[in-house]
Amino acid sequence: RPEQPEQLKILFLSISIFIFVLFRKNRHHLLTLEQLSAQQESTIQQELNNPKLNKLLNISKHQYKSLFELSPDGILLIDPDTLIATRFNPTAHQQLGYTAEEFAQLSILDYEALEKAAEIREHAKHIIESKQAVSFETQHRKKSGEIIDVMV
């Protein structure tokens, strides 16, 4: 939890930029830039021009990227409509025996071994609606056909 005012500014800036990036990628899910208040847009622009905060933000982005890319656990960001991973770390595709290019084309339906398509969609819907962290055990099918136990 940030304790210093400078850290709070960085957190606000990080969240703002994250929202902006999400907006650019998912226009239909978020407000348009015109709908942002002028004050928020101005604040974001001012903070982006602050060299000290910009440097700290770059450090924070590097740390996040390192945690994401180097995690020994597979991490996936799933599109709830297509059930395709929009972003994933190397462990996610390597543990199932796929190249990154192959894995990017797969939906959960392609490697989930326990649940049927309707169950997967219902499970995804429940996770989105609950807006809470959910973990469960299941099985995934590797490219080789081998079934492995996984914790999601």
Side-chain angles (χ1 to χ4, degrees), residues 84-144:
I84 293 175
T86 58
R87 185 121 194 266
F88 51 88
N89 68 350
T91 304
H93 68 84
Q94 290 169 356
Q95 69 187 0
L96 294 179
Y98 292 98
T99 66
E101 294 78 18
E102 292 170 327
F103 195 74
Q105 303 301 312
L106 301 177
S107 84
I108 296 172
L109 305 174
D110 297 315
Y111 49 85
E112 171 58 46
L114 281 183
E115 295 182 347
K116 306 230 181 306
E119 295 171 310
I120 294 169
R121 291 189 191 287
E122 186 60 36
H123 205 157
K125 180 181 173 187
H126 170 72
I127 291 169
I128 291 166
E129 288 174 353
S130 71
K131 297 180 182 180
Q132 295 179 359
V134 176
S135 64
F136 57 94
E137 293 180 15
T138 189
Q139 293 182 326
H140 285 172
R141 181 175 293 101
K142 295 174 74 167
K143 183 178 178 179
S144 67

Side-chain angles (χ1 to χ4, degrees), residues 40-52:
Q40 287 173 321
E41 190 173 343
S42 173
T43 301
I44 292 170
Q45 289 302 320
Q46 288 172 1
E47 297 299 340
L48 285 173
N49 293 327
N50 182 326
K52 184 176 179 182

